[in-house]
């Protein structure tokens, strides 16, 4: 990759940066496709985030920003315009500057998850889905599942108030959806999603009781530290179809590229060229 005076900058802002996977996917693609852009990890603590984001977009060669933990919620208040997904999720993971200099935000975690499960053959229209975790990523996935016309959506969070607040936002923007806050019992669902950090550490408990999973239930994961988390290993042993955490990432990148006005590609092409390390 040749970085020169014309190189477009995409900031990947979060803290800490050691788990970041995006630079190992975007940059090989840019190099192979001859796109003069680069994704740069930028470790930024919460107390510095607001001035850092605003200063970044003062750069003339700023293409956009990928926003990750712990800044996704804070970003919403810095935007001049945002998508419905951002409004439902209450968080944002993509920012660009429009022709008028305004900051525009979107949320693609849920879009990536939905694209992935659809490509694996799961029919979402009319399906019953359970999302465990109502934080930024769980809210984004719930928003996209609602947009994909699931038949019913159950939400669980260790903080019940968080799940209830997400229910209200979903009802506001998707009034026809059957949505409710309940428990994490996976019985009777076509799709079950772990949208919590459980699985990042070896001694983490499972986010749900896998003994209550039906072999016909599709199980999705957001944790990317390892491909087959303990939850996915247990679900596979019960005969469930699964989606690994990085599939969500690969599937959302084409949408990011379109959002940033860059030539897009497919998730398969991105995976073939990626240089992931765990």
């Amino acid at each position: 990759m040749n970085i020169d005076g014309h190189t477009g900058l995409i900031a990947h802002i979060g803290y800490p940066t050691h788990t970041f996977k995006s630079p190992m996917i975007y940059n090989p693609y840019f190099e192979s496709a001859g796109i003069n852009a680069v994704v740069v990890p930028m470790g930024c603590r919460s107390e510095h985030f607001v001035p850092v984001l605003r200063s970044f977009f003062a750069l003339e060669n700023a293409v956009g920003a990928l926003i990750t933990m712990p800044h996704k919620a804070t970003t919403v208040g810095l935007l001049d315009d945002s998508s419905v997904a951002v409004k439902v999720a209450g968080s944002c993971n993509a920012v660009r500057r429009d022709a008028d200099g305004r900051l525009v935000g979107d949320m693609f975690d849920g879009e990536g998850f939905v694209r992935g499960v659809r490509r694996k053959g799961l029919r979402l229209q009319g399906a019953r889905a359970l999302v465990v975790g109502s934080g930024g990523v769980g809210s984004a996935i719930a928003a996209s599942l609602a947009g994909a016309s699931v038949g019913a959506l159950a939400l669980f969070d260790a903080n019940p108030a968080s799940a209830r607040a997400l229910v209200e936002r979903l009802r506001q923007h998707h009034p026809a959806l059957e949505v409710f806050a309940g428990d994490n019992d996976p019985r009777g669902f076509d799709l079950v999603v772990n949208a919590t950090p459980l699985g990042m550490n070896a001694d983490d408990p499972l986010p749900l009781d896998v003994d209550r999973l039906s072999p016909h239930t599709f199980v999705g994961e957001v944790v990317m530290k390892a491909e087959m988390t303990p939850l996915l290993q247990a679900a596979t042993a019960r005969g469930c179809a699964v989606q690994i955490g990085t599939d969500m990432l690969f599937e959302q990148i084409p949408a990011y590229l379109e959002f940033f006005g860059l030539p897009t590609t497919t998730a398969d092409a991105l995976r073939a060229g990626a240089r992931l390390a765990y």
Side-chain angles (χ1 to χ4, degrees):
M1 179 176 291
N2 180 38
I3 297 176
D4 58 26
H6 301 285
T7 302
L9 298 179
I10 299 175
H12 190 182
I13 308 176
Y15 186 83
T17 62
H18 66 270
T19 61
F20 284 11
K21 301 287 185 288
S22 291
M24 295 180 277
I25 303 172
Y26 282 88
N27 292 333
Y29 164 64
F30 291 155
E31 186 175 3
S32 66
I35 298 169
N36 195 359
V38 61
V39 171
V40 181
M42 297 184 179
C44 178
R45 294 179 183 268
S46 297
E47 59 266 32
H48 305 302
F49 174 67
V50 173
V52 165
L53 185 70
R54 288 176 171 158
S55 297
F56 173 75
F57 280 104
L59 301 174
E60 291 300 319
N61 61 331
V63 173
L66 312 173
I67 309 297
T68 191
M69 295 299 292
H71 309 310
K72 292 182 180 182
T74 304
T75 301
V76 178
L78 306 177
L79 301 173
D80 298 301
D81 194 14
S82 62
S83 67
V84 171
V86 168
K87 292 178 173 67
V88 171
S91 62
C92 170
N93 69 354
V95 182
R96 61 177 170 82
R97 180 182 57 208
D98 70 9
D100 297 322
R102 303 183 315 148
L103 294 187
V104 179
D106 211 328
M107 168 53 79
F108 294 120
D109 284 339
E111 174 69 12
F113 185 88
V114 163
R115 288 189 185 195
V117 298
R118 277 178 164 161
R119 288 217 310 139
K120 293 173 181 66
L122 181 64
R123 178 178 170 83
L124 290 174
Q125 186 172 5
R128 293 181 57 82
L130 166 66
V131 178
V132 179
S134 297
V137 66
S139 297
I141 290 172
S144 291
L145 290 173
S149 300
V150 294
L153 183 56
L155 307 172
F156 171 79
D157 195 273
N159 176 6
S162 178
R164 289 195 298 267
L166 177 54
V167 167
E168 292 308 311
R169 296 195 302 273
L170 283 162
R171 286 175 176 166
Q172 178 183 353
H173 293 280
H174 299 276
L177 175 66
E178 180 190 346
V179 57
F180 54 93
D183 57 33
N184 61 344
D185 186 341
R187 291 180 303 170
F189 291 99
D190 304 297
L191 170 66
V192 172
V193 186
N194 174 40
T196 78
L198 294 175
M200 288 285 290
N201 303 305
D203 58 350
D204 283 344
L206 292 175
L208 52 91
D209 185 352
V210 295
D211 291 336
R212 302 175 83 86
L213 278 171
S214 162
H216 303 293
T217 300
F218 190 107
V219 178
E221 176 68 275
V222 302
V223 172
M224 300 184 192
K225 187 173 183 180
E227 284 208 346
M228 292 300 291
T229 62
L231 172 63
L232 295 188
Q233 291 177 35
T236 301
R238 291 188 65 80
C240 299
V242 301
Q243 176 164 284
I244 64 175
T246 53
D247 281 355
M248 181 179 70
L249 177 59
F250 281 105
E251 293 285 352
Q252 71 181 277
I253 288 176
Y256 266 114
L257 294 170
E258 295 162 12
F259 180 73
F260 291 145
L262 295 171
T264 193
T265 185
T266 66
D268 288 340
L270 290 165
R271 188 176 285 281
R275 300 166 191 163
L276 283 179
Y278 290 95

